[in-house]
């Protein structure tokens, strides 16, 4: 219970800001749908001028832009709005780092529906969306993922490829498990001319990965392995296995089963590189990996954001000798390198 | 367009935090539905103990609580969670200042549906929910409002009653327009024993106001005037008219029409007290009143959060001599006192 002194000094500000936080999501989504940030690419504009460019009412644009100023996406001087530096980089369609398409995945009903009755998911301890949530075989959400999220991998995929320091002269075979858009494997093929990629995923998803391999000019070193990561035959003798944003969908037992299978496909002394949201052991820091657990609670039966000791134990139980944790700034993710 | 230097220093953190902001809303809603904060009223508890008290899985509670720690609603020491001082005051059901019921109104589909296609509302310049949005006659959302939001008025209603300094000896008649839960008028009746209240609203809403007047022990000085604020006969000779959270639903022309009608009901020299979200003239500060405009864009055809000069002009056009602005800390609202 609160003391009278606490009650006097208390503020409901956080409560109201949080209750209404869904409006932040919707305001950003609306601005991306209206392509507002691209309309500001050439410089500051008034609500009237933006309304004309975005085919929207001046009044609606004025209210939306003021909201986006308050929340840090735009600046306002007099009655003219402008992109912040971050908005210019990530939200102007003409920018190479454009992230706006990510909302097609992150805000797809397949993910957001899992939050419509979050209390039920907390009671149950997992998603209330069907038996498997987003993990049902050939779920179309992963095609949307492959199409929408590829632009976001530019920085981390190149960073992992460099981090793994493959020997330049030698041929390497890399198995990319649950490859999705294929961009992580493709980054290795681009960084190392002797690397050959085998990309595993659902067939509908691999179609997107093949397009990306072709666009990157590495298709002759890019093979596909269609099917479930748990059932398909990986083959053997790989020098590296990539597990990017995959383990968080499963419980530790399922992860260990997969890791045993992955280890069996490796050549002696080869490595696994795992990209994950890895919270500290307190599970409440840093904010991005710590809050990722809730995404898994809403959308999967048993997924989680695992701490490094938890991941280390899974790899050890699966037969790996040791694991190392590497931060991957400026991303909010980490790479675990495990030695077979 | 972003320069290469901007691109190098840019961070997508705000983008991702905002895209996923809807999860903050849903996490808080789930915690209130599970009555998690009340379960922490007696002191810190583990996820396992909370799971038992809230009839929920330990895993679900752990993930939800960690999320609420990151977002400032709980603290964590070892594996035990505790309420922050603000959560103890506002979110423990046993607290007199409990606000949790406010989600029944603030997160009712009648308000949140207006944000499901916010881009369409921006294009149109007003709500896309039916012809009148939440302003349709006898809309049930206002009964929910009257029931859910009453606890939030304790501080502002007492503050307005004191601010208006009615002469203690004399009889006063107060007209409470769009009274809702009736709490603002009731606060005057409690502060001043010679005050008589006439509360106007839809009949279904006034039933709630009458309950509240009875509970406050002032029902013999509380009359009701059922009907539309725009059509019903107010009577005349009032010493004060209250307009609490009403003008923001309408455009300035409609406000002026209402204010002329209100002024005609006042005794000579009497006053109007208007409680509103009043942003500064830049319309992007302070955050709470500035962002309130978007709520009106989503849920009403033409509503807005008006600046003081805009409100002043409406009152002047309606025949009032002058208006004064009074901040009402610790609330995020202001009172405009207008002299007839």
């Amino acid at each position: 219970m609160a003391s009278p002194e606490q009650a006097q000094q208390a503020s409901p500000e956080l409560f109201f800001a949080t209750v209404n936080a869904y409006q932040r999501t919707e305001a950003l989504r609306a601005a991306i749908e209206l392509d507002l940030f691209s309309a500001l690419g050439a410089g500051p504009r008034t609500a009237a001028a933006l309304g004309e460019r975005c085919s929207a009412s001046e009044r609606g644009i004025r209210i939306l832009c003021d909201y986006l100023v308050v929340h840090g996406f735009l600046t306002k001087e007099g009655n003219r709005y402008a992109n912040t530096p971050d908005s210019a980089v990530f939200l102007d369609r003409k920018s190479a780092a454009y992230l706006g398409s990510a909302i097609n995945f992150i805000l797809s009903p397949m993910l957001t529906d899992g939050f419509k009755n979050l209390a039920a998911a907390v009671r149950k301890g997992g998603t209330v969306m069907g038996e498997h949530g987003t993990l049902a075989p050939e779920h179309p959400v992963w095609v949307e993922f492959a199409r929408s999220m590829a632009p976001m991998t530019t920085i981390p995929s190149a960073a992992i490829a460099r981090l793994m320091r493959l020997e330049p002269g030698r041929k390497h075979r890399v198995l990319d498990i649950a490859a999705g858009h294929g961009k992580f494997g493709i980054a290795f093929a681009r960084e190392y001319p002797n690397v050959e990629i085998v990309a595993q995923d659902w067939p509908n998803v691999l179609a997107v990965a093949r397009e990306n391999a072709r666009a990157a000019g590495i298709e002759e070193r890019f093979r596909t392995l269609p099917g479930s990561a748990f059932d398909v035959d990986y083959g053997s003798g790989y020098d590296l296995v990539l597990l990017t944003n995959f383990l968080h969908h499963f419980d530790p037992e399922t992860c260990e089963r997969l890791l045993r299978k992955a280890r069996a496909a490796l050549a002696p002394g080869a490595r696994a590189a795992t990209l994950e949201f890895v919270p500290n052991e307190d599970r409440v820091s840093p904010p991005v990996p710590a809050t990722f657990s809730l995404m898994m609670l809403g959308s999967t039966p048993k997924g989680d954001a695992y701490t490094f000791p938890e991941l280390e134990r899974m790899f050890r139980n699966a037969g790996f000798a040791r694991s190392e944790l590497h931060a991957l700034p400026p991303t909010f993710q980490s790479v675990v390198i495990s030695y077979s």
Side-chain angles (χ1 to χ4, degrees), chain A residues 3-336:
Chain A
S3 67
E5 293 72 33
Q6 283 178 333
Q8 283 238 309
Q9 292 159 10
S11 164
E13 187 161 12
L14 180 66
F15 171 76
F16 286 112
T18 304
V19 170
N20 287 324
Y22 75 95
Q23 294 177 8
R24 299 189 195 195
T25 301
E26 298 308 334
L28 181 56
R29 186 204 312 248
I32 291 170
E33 287 174 359
L34 293 162
D35 211 10
L36 183 76
F37 302 103
S38 304
L40 288 169
R45 288 182 192 274
T46 63
L50 280 169
E52 267 184 43
R53 281 188 85 92
C54 299
S55 308
S57 70
E58 176 180 350
R59 170 182 143 81
I61 291 283
R62 184 260 296 168
I63 292 175
L64 177 64
C65 286
D66 285 339
Y67 187 92
L68 293 168
V69 170
V70 172
H71 289 295
F73 287 91
L74 298 177
T75 59
K76 185 178 188 181
E77 233 172 283
N79 63 351
R80 284 148 65 90
Y81 303 94
N83 281 330
T84 61
D86 282 353
S87 294
V89 169
F90 296 116
L91 296 171
D92 179 343
R93 240 174 241 283
K94 292 182 286 298
S95 165
Y98 180 69
L99 288 184
S101 63
I103 64 168
N104 297 331
F105 173 70
I106 306 179
L107 296 181
S108 66
M110 299 315 312
L111 286 189
T112 59
D113 279 358
F115 291 85
K116 284 194 174 156
N117 189 354
L118 190 59
V122 173
R123 285 192 193 98
K124 182 180 174 183
T127 186
V128 290
M129 295 191 299
E131 199 188 338
H132 301 289
T134 53
L135 303 184
E138 306 201 36
H139 197 301
V141 75
W142 300 113
V143 177
E144 192 56 64
F145 169 83
R147 293 219 179 273
S148 307
M149 300 294 274
M152 292 173 42
T153 59
T154 310
I155 292 169
S157 65
I160 297 180
R162 283 191 300 270
L163 176 69
M164 295 308 292
R165 298 174 184 274
L166 302 190
E167 226 175 282
R170 205 164 66 75
K171 239 189 149 156
H172 285 86
R173 290 178 65 235
V174 173
L175 173 62
D176 189 359
I177 294 179
H181 37 61
K183 297 283 261 185
F184 286 100
I186 291 166
F188 276 86
R190 294 182 66 162
E191 183 80 15
Y192 307 102
N194 294 324
V195 155
E196 237 184 62
I197 308 297
V198 176
Q200 172 278 323
D201 213 314
W202 301 115
N204 54 351
V205 179
L206 285 176
V208 182
R210 265 193 302 271
E211 281 173 32
N212 289 334
R214 201 171 307 130
I218 58 99
E219 60 185 308
E220 76 289 349
R221 292 183 283 134
F222 191 86
R223 311 242 172 97
T224 56
L225 194 57
S228 157
F230 293 93
D231 302 329
V232 79
D233 182 359
Y234 291 158
S236 62
Y238 292 98
D239 302 286
L240 179 64
V241 56
L242 297 179
L243 288 154
T244 57
N245 292 316
F246 191 51
L247 297 184
H248 56 238
H249 296 97
F250 310 103
D251 63 14
E253 294 67 36
T254 309
C255 290
E256 287 178 18
R257 181 152 55 90
L258 186 93
L259 295 179
R260 270 191 292 274
K261 190 180 166 192
R263 185 170 173 277
L266 287 174
R271 295 172 298 173
T274 303
L275 181 70
E276 273 300 338
F277 292 96
V278 183
N280 295 331
E281 286 182 71
D282 63 13
R283 288 192 174 282
V284 293
S285 67
V288 175
T291 54
F292 188 77
S293 283
L294 195 78
M295 176 70 91
M296 292 300 100
L297 180 70
S299 62
T300 70
K302 294 180 174 181
D304 210 340
Y306 294 108
T307 63
F308 178 63
E310 288 173 329
L311 289 166
E312 201 178 24
R313 188 179 322 120
M314 292 178 210
F315 277 95
R316 201 168 50 237
N317 291 347
F320 285 83
R322 64 183 181 88
S323 297
E324 297 163 355
L325 183 66
H326 296 260
L328 207 65
T331 81
F332 309 111
Q333 297 201 284
S334 303
V335 177
V336 174

